[in-house]
Amino acid sequence: MAAAKLLVVYHSQSGRNARLAYAAAAAAREEGGEVCLARAAEVGCRDLLWCDALLLFTPENFGALPGELKDFLDRSFYPANTQQLLRPYGVFVCTGNDGSGALRELQRIAKGLVLKMVAEPIICKGAPGDDDFDAAKELAAAMVVAVDMGVY
């Protein structure tokens, strides 16, 4: 059986979401997953079509989803919809705010892209601590294991 392919996409200006995404990608690889880790500006529909599951790391800018992450989703929307793909996804919001605005926008966009949230969203307020890094690693590892088991 082929290894689960996990696309880990992040947007980060402070480095917080980048560090969380790198930790998650490492954990997914440790579980035997094939991982593509990239900034939101560097990925597109081809990457979305490649993966078995998607993990997004994002801040919340001014109570909304940041432009680079939204741009990735915008660029992928029409090409992905012609493929009728259904990808499981998880999201980690690391922000100084409450994260609710970014999460709400992401969930609305994901419905249009026919992405299925398979884990409770994780919201980290402020600088990530050990528990946040553990949560990011556990989420990534669980997604790889679930794909390998055929759960989704």
Side-chain angles (χ1 to χ4, degrees), residues 24 27 131 133-143:
D131 289 346
F133 281 97
D134 289 345
K137 293 175 192 177
E138 288 171 14
L139 178 57
M143 289 184 79

Side-chain angles (χ1 to χ4, degrees), residues 60 63 93 95 97-105 107 123:
E60 180 177 63
V93 180
T95 183
N97 202 342
D98 68 2
S100 63
L103 183 58
R104 185 174 42 257
E105 286 184 27
Q107 288 173 323
I123 298 178

Side-chain angles (χ1 to χ4, degrees), residues 55-126:
L55 185 52
L56 302 169
F57 287 84
T58 184
E60 180 177 63
N61 292 347
F62 305 108
L65 194 63
E68 280 193 23
L69 192 63
K70 186 170 180 318
D71 178 63
F72 156 62
L73 298 168
D74 285 346
R75 286 182 286 108
S76 302
F77 182 79
Y78 287 112
N81 276 346
T82 64
Q83 302 294 317
Q84 297 182 353
L85 74 124
L86 175 61
R87 295 290 185 265
Y89 82 100
V91 61
F92 200 111
V93 180
C94 184
T95 183
N97 202 342
D98 68 2
S100 63
L103 183 58
R104 185 174 42 257
E105 286 184 27
L106 178 60
Q107 288 173 323
R108 190 174 67 234
I109 293 166
K111 284 181 187 177
L113 267 172
V114 195
L115 299 176
K116 179 182 179 188
M117 186 177 284
V118 295
E120 285 295 317
I122 300 170
I123 298 178
C124 162
K125 296 176 186 171

